Amino acid sequence: MDEELRSLTERLRQESGGSAAFERLLATGDDGLAEVLTAPGQPLWARELAAFRLGRAGDRRAFEALVLLLNHRDPPRCAAAAHALARLGDPRTARAAAALATNELRVAYALHPVRLLVALRAPEAVPALITTLERRLRPHDPYRQVALACVEGLGALGDVRARRVLSEALAHPALAEAAVHALARIPQEQPG
């Protein structure tokens, strides 16, 4: 059992109270897991376990549930959903993550969508991270962790389109060091 699955299993076992229903769901096959996602009255821990296992197995029936969990207020749920979505291989994932990362009404929960975009290296990643970072560069913005993830992610992606916003991030003490490192990873533009 890898670290992500072990961590999720321990957390959800506690949340479920170590119930027999949890142990059954842990042993259930894919079709049974998919039923949990659509059955009424299922507890959140059951839906999360089902979506996580299906997502890691590449079963696209988990997509909608995982996207909802990616935007959850509980960071461990977001992290688990991002992990499963990265393995799912659904072509809708990058667009959904970009929408969540750039939704200003839900910016408090944008950290994991930002990190997922970087992991996916999809065409949507750089524009979404630039947009999100530009909004975080306002004075007294409380979402420095999201801004830092954008700076680091843009450096990892190494796209020249990020040069301008990363240069602006140099003026923010909490981001300056990361912005220097990110800019160093971006190729210099060649004169035309």
Side-chain angles (χ1 to χ4, degrees):
M1 182 182 299
D2 67 37
E3 181 58 28
E4 288 292 332
L5 181 57
R6 187 192 60 72
S7 176
L8 176 109
T9 301
E10 287 177 12
R11 179 172 53 82
L12 296 182
R13 181 174 279 124
Q14 285 184 332
E15 194 174 316
S16 73
S19 69
F22 174 82
E23 298 302 331
R24 277 193 306 277
L25 189 57
L26 201 54
T28 299
D30 290 357
D31 288 337
L33 293 171
E35 288 176 20
V36 169
L37 296 179
T38 58
Q42 294 294 316
L44 183 57
W45 64 260
R47 291 186 192 282
E48 182 180 1
L49 180 58
F52 182 85
R53 288 190 52 216
L54 286 170
R56 286 178 34 125
D59 190 323
R60 292 186 180 172
R61 294 177 288 184
F63 176 76
E64 289 84 5
L66 289 171
V67 169
L68 288 172
L69 291 165
L70 182 63
N71 196 33
H72 197 274
R73 68 182 175 272
D74 184 14
R77 289 196 203 287
C78 299
H83 174 81
L85 281 164
R87 289 204 173 168
L88 180 60
D90 192 300
R92 302 171 290 176
T93 301
R95 193 170 349 118
L100 293 174
T102 59
N103 182 344
E104 198 62 12
L105 297 176
R106 302 287 293 171
V107 68
Y109 312 111
L111 180 62
H112 292 286
V114 164
R115 289 179 177 163
L116 177 58
L117 282 167
V118 175
L120 294 173
R121 302 185 80 81
E124 296 88 344
V126 171
L129 268 61
I130 289 172
T131 297
T132 303
L133 180 56
E134 285 172 338
R135 294 173 181 167
R136 306 286 57 87
L137 295 179
R138 289 178 250 162
H140 312 295
D141 184 84
Y143 305 108
R144 284 292 161 217
Q145 195 174 16
V146 172
L148 185 58
C150 289
V151 168
E152 293 169 347
L154 288 167
L157 294 170
D159 191 299
V160 295
R161 295 175 290 175
R163 187 170 290 288
R164 179 193 51 79
V165 73
L166 289 171
S167 295
E168 292 173 16
L170 291 170
H172 297 265
L175 303 174
E177 184 178 346
V180 166
H181 293 295
L183 283 164
R185 297 178 75 180
I186 295 178
Q188 294 294 321
E189 294 185 69
Q190 300 299 318

